[in-house]
Amino acid sequence: MEIERLPEELLMEVISRTSPQDACRAAAVSQSLRAAADSDAVWSRFLPRDLPRLAENEIPSAPLSSKGLFQRLVALPALLPGELVSMRLDRATGAKCHTLSARALNISWGDTPYYWRWIHVDVDDYWFSEAAELLHVCWLEIRGRIPSKMLSKNTEYTARIVFKLTDDTRCLDHPFQDASVSVGGSESTRHVCLQARANEDVDAVAAGRLGINSFCHQLVGYLLARLLLGLDTRMAC
């Protein structure tokens, strides 16, 4: 092909201006394109320039190539120092996505044993080793906060709260809960439902009704809830 006659430096520059997916496609075309598409010069451009420092032992001690580091951060979330927040990269764009652990959230009455219990969970399922289990409450308010500078610029984000229901969960289907996202002086609020009705799919309710479109934040909290009467989840820069 004519394109293969171009200098490798030019090929790397061209591919680095595309996307991670395009670079993988280029690598599959021919041996010469693979050498350019897999180079550090290309994949270092796909990594965020402001990639944060990670917690110890999150990355193998042996140095990774830029492509290897990108693939690692796409495949699994990596904990940040303090191990209360994790980060992964979006496969298509390389944008940063953050997850807040339950300990990083501000949970009303969260330190009162009568209302809440902190339990250990499987890291493979929840990414964090600890979750908050709701026991009794008549009013529940959960707030999460993340500085906008931690996120990727010019990127649209979705705010979500992720939870697991126990077998005896009740009172989640009515009344609906309120969820809101605030960015600077603007705020978006909508009704959500945390429990599917008999004719609804649980995953669809959790993923669909809880999605809040926002250009600034992504919040994922981990809650094992038995009884939930009200929810007001807020985030602010």
Side-chain angles (χ1 to χ4, degrees):
M1 294 185 297
E2 292 295 327
I3 192 173
E4 293 182 337
R5 298 181 181 180
L6 295 174
E8 187 174 75
E9 292 78 7
L10 182 56
L11 289 175
M12 290 188 293
E13 179 64 25
V14 171
I15 297 173
S16 69
R17 293 175 180 269
T18 59
S19 68
Q21 291 178 322
D22 289 332
C24 291
R25 295 188 184 101
V29 172
S30 67
Q31 195 69 29
S32 58
L33 282 179
R34 179 180 301 173
D38 286 347
S39 66
D40 278 352
V42 168
W43 286 90
S44 61
R45 299 276 288 271
F46 296 147
L47 289 168
R49 294 183 179 180
D50 56 347
L51 192 68
R53 185 168 61 90
L54 305 178
E56 292 186 11
N57 301 321
E58 285 299 288
I59 298 297
S61 56
L64 293 174
S65 64
S66 295
K67 182 178 181 180
L69 179 58
F70 184 94
Q71 291 175 325
R72 162 62 182 85
L73 295 177
V74 164
L76 292 172
L79 293 174
L80 303 186
E83 301 187 355
L84 296 180
V85 179
S86 71
M87 184 210 69
R88 66 174 180 83
L89 298 182
D90 179 73
R91 183 183 302 275
T93 65
K96 293 177 292 183
C97 304
H98 290 275
T99 303
L100 306 183
S101 68
R103 282 290 187 186
L105 300 176
N106 184 353
I107 303 174
S108 297
W109 306 101
D111 293 328
T112 305
Y114 178 77
Y115 298 115
W116 290 90
R117 175 172 62 187
W118 291 91
I119 61 175
H120 290 282
V121 293
D122 191 339
V123 176
D124 292 336
D125 292 333
Y126 296 99
W127 303 335
F128 299 100
S129 61
E130 197 174 31
E133 182 179 11
L134 178 61
L135 304 176
H136 308 280
V137 75
C138 61
W139 172 258
L140 175 63
E141 183 174 7
I142 303 172
R143 295 173 181 263
R145 183 169 184 155
I146 184 171
S148 58
K149 65 182 181 181
M150 291 178 62
L151 304 178
S152 299
K153 296 180 179 180
N154 303 316
T155 301
E156 182 174 315
Y157 282 88
T158 298
R160 295 187 179 95
I161 182 168
V162 177
F163 60 96
K164 181 179 180 181
L165 302 177
T166 56
D167 294 335
D168 57 347
T169 297
R170 63 188 186 279
C171 300
L172 290 176
D173 58 343
H174 184 79
F176 284 1
Q177 298 80 39
D178 289 333
S180 62
V181 175
S182 59
V183 182
S186 62
E187 183 175 297
S188 174
T189 302
R190 64 178 295 181
H191 292 305
V192 298
C193 183
L194 303 182
Q195 186 177 13
R197 299 186 183 90
N199 60 345
E200 291 182 316
D201 179 76
V202 175
D203 292 335
V205 171
R209 289 189 179 177
L210 285 178
I212 306 174
N213 290 328
S214 167
F215 63 88
C216 188
H217 289 94
Q218 174 166 355
L219 168 67
V220 184
Y222 292 91
L223 299 173
L224 301 180
R226 285 181 175 170
L227 176 63
L228 183 60
L229 299 179
L231 174 64
D232 183 10
T233 302
R234 298 174 183 269
M235 292 173 296
C237 293

